[in-house]
Amino acid sequence: MVLRISYISAVCGVFLLVSVSSFHNLAIANTNNQSQLIAQGQSRIQSHPVFKSILPKLKQKTQIKILLPKFIPESDGENPIYANIEAATQKSYEISLAFTPDCNGASACRLGAVTAEVVTRKTPRLTGKRVSLTKGITGYFVDFTCGAGCSDATLTWRQQGVQYVVGLKAGDRTSLVKMANSAINP
């Protein structure tokens, strides 16, 4: 009987050692996989599907952090929306949003724009109505004006040395805040 208890204790001890060792290796593997997923997640850009076709070219052209909104008003599926790269350099990009693929900024088919550029000494000071954005960021809202046509209402903010702007033709502040927050939060 004593021999049996000793045998069972030895077997349990070996089992415990093997289990702890396996758990340790599993924990290391999980930590490594999480690090890889986090690193991969940083290279992925989550955005509205309208940007999917232009994203590879944009990544190729610019070196600044690309922030694109996941929310775009008027994108409920009734009318298709198209994103076009108007300009892209290492330090900036400008994307137009339109209801036709070949709008070229025309007022009748224009929805808005998403832009970014590195802040330099020559970059003008931010103006407009202060707006609180996610992650404690302050944005500046400038309302649209109308004459022969209506301009974009814009929301501008700075993040890590880059100035980002979202604009909507005759847009409202609530939609622009939602749009900006959806770009800031990955």
Side-chain angles (χ1 to χ4, degrees):
M1 175 89 167
V2 172
L3 185 60
R4 234 181 218 187
I5 292 175
S6 294
Y7 176 75
I8 291 172
S9 294
V11 168
C12 287
V14 169
F15 178 74
L16 182 63
L17 286 174
V18 169
S19 296
V20 168
S21 175
S22 295
F23 177 76
H24 177 72
N25 289 339
L26 181 62
I28 290 172
N30 259 350
T31 302
N32 288 341
N33 286 343
Q34 285 176 344
S35 297
Q36 288 173 350
L37 287 175
I38 289 169
Q40 289 171 358
Q42 289 174 349
S43 67
R44 276 191 233 139
I45 297 169
Q46 296 180 10
S47 63
H48 191 281
V50 73
F51 299 108
K52 186 177 180 181
S53 65
I54 65 167
L55 199 51
K57 186 175 181 182
L58 193 58
K59 284 181 180 180
Q60 196 175 50
K61 294 258 184 186
T62 192
Q63 293 180 351
I64 61 176
K65 185 172 182 178
I66 299 169
L67 294 183
L68 301 172
K70 289 173 268 324
F71 167 77
I72 300 174
E74 307 284 331
S75 65
D76 55 8
E78 276 186 41
N79 299 311
I81 295 176
Y82 300 90
N84 293 303
I85 299 173
E86 299 297 324
T89 67
Q90 290 182 348
K91 297 182 179 185
S92 69
Y93 60 83
E94 182 180 343
I95 301 167
S96 66
L97 299 171
F99 294 109
T100 63
D102 54 355
C103 182
N104 298 320
S107 184
C109 54
R110 179 180 171 76
L111 173 62
V114 177
T115 67
E117 69 177 319
V118 171
V119 176
T120 67
R121 290 182 187 172
K122 295 179 181 181
T123 305
R125 221 176 66 147
L126 294 174
T127 60
K129 294 178 185 174
R130 292 171 69 101
V131 176
S132 294
L133 299 174
T134 191
K135 294 187 178 182
I137 296 171
T138 299
Y140 294 84
F141 172 76
V142 176
D143 211 351
F144 66 93
T145 58
C146 290
C150 292
S151 66
D152 285 2
T154 60
L155 185 63
T156 306
W157 74 95
R158 291 182 179 170
Q159 195 174 345
Q160 298 175 338
V162 178
Q163 180 169 295
Y164 296 94
V165 181
V166 290
L168 291 171
K169 180 180 165 186
D172 64 279
R173 184 170 121 174
T174 303
S175 294
L176 285 167
V177 167
K178 190 172 179 181
M179 198 171 166
N181 283 337
S182 77
I184 295 167
N185 278 328

